[in-house]
Amino acid sequence: MLATELRKRYIDFFVKKHNHKEISGASLIPENDPTVLFTTAGMHPLVPFLMGETHPQGKRLVNVQKCLRTDDIDEVGDSTHLTFFEMLGNWSLGDYFKKQAIEWSYEFLTSPLEEGGLGLDPANLTVSCFEGDDDAPRDEEAAKVWESLGFKRVEKGEPLHGGLIYFYNKKENWWGPAGQTGPCGPDTEIFLDSGKEKCPGCDELGVSCDCGKWVEIWNNVFMQYNKNKDRTYTPLAQQNVDTGFGLERVTALMQGVSTHYETELFSEAIKKILELAGGKNPNDFIVSQRIIADHLRAAVFILGDPFGVAPSNTDQGYVLRRLIRRAIRYGKKMGIESAFTTEIAKIYIDLYKNIYPELEKFKDKILAELEKEEAQFSKTLVQGEREFEKMLPNLMKSAQKIVPGRLAFKLYDTYGFPIEMTEELAAEHDFKVDKEGYDKAYKKHQEQSRAGAQQKFSGGLADHSKQTTKLHTATHLLHQALRNVLGNHVEQKGSNITVERLRFDFTHPEKVTPEQLKEVEDIVNEQIQRGLDV
Ligand code: SER
């Protein structure tokens, strides 16, 4: 089953069988959420509606959402972690709750292929529920639904197998609010047996064992609480369901391959990477080829987003720069000498353009930015090497043969020279790098920039009151009016909306004239006066 079909089956199941409306996914770069740099889960763009705002499409929604997570960027290259991924989700905004959400997940997974399901054997499924703590009780309601479907609570000492219900704490079975406060609640997760051998820890840990034998494929979150500023939890007036189903992961499991890199979502890119590296054996440089394939796919989606950013040294642009440079570095490791990022990008644009037309629309920009960044990084590498050579005579004076961490960090911070490159150069001269010192300097820098980012991003929507919501709508009108008057290059760079006023940051190379402002104002007012439905 190809990913295209899996997407379609999921959407059709909820639209045709269970009366959901399909909504389009939101941009990868959050429009009005100051708490995150990227959309990290399908629930992000829907927060206002989870909090009670009326969604124009109704209370039962289904979608595919582009997501990006960089917390585990160093794990990419193993068989499960990805930075960019697609999340399928069905949503209840104060409509159905635990019973239907669980029953429908089960129905989709186990009903026969010819009836629109995935035809999975129930004996290969096992689940987990929230065990309860001081903030919220044990999720008996969810467990009972699973029992009604034939699942049994795991007994103490019982080995891991299909058909069980495990109970875990918040770490495993709770979806926290995206920011510090917001909608949250217990979840129930569904795991599928990958067919791999059990590891020695499986029986003791149950499905929380991450050896890859049992893979989480579906998360049903019951958003029934709001986490307050004082860290207390209050029941939400509206009980919601937020589900997440990882497309790449399930595609791989459905195809019986051991990683998503072996599916059609990555195979062309990987083939090209091996070819560019001079016909390498696919079994060599496994981690490098995966990192390149993952990072460049993520970079294509960031650059090709409607709110796309360019590589830079701050915020989203910094993450993008890091992804591209990391891919190039691993390319060099594999022996790719010439510029290659656009070759791989073209493969992804072709692969995804039907689902994400924005990639085709911004194709020129994606390719131009990659080319520019790759050229600039090559210069950085030359410059970094030169600086390192300059440091050498001094370093030679010490008998210890150690490059101090602060010097390695300086090369990184000032010239963008990656620590791994410094280590390689050091090794050529029989030196070691003080990695601990480097990490310390790096951490200090990160803390400083995080503090800065928090201040900078104290924008967004102050609350979800009617007035604030109206001003939020006005922000969209303003954005379009600016584009009409100043041109399509106008891009939102931030916004801050309170009950009293809105603020909108945007890019434009010149000072906006009073006449232009008047024109923008007139367009916005004209549209408001039309009293259109939102
Ligand atoms: N918010 C949950 C997740 O991202 C379910 O969609 O896993």
Side-chain angles (χ1 to χ4, degrees), residues 41 43 69 87 175 219 221 242-244:
M43 52 83 64
R69 293 184 187 172
M87 193 183 265
W175 180 263
N219 188 6
V221 184
D242 147 24
T243 76

Side-chain angles (χ1 to χ4, degrees), residues 40-44 67 69 85 87-91 175-176 187 189 216 218-221 223 241-245:
T40 56
M43 52 83 64
H44 268 300
C67 299
R69 293 184 187 172
F85 62 98
M87 193 183 265
L88 296 161
N90 53 289
W91 308 87
W175 180 263
D187 67 39
E189 300 183 358
E216 184 206 329
W218 201 322
N219 188 6
N220 274 296
V221 184
M223 299 241 166
V241 177
D242 147 24
T243 76
F245 180 92

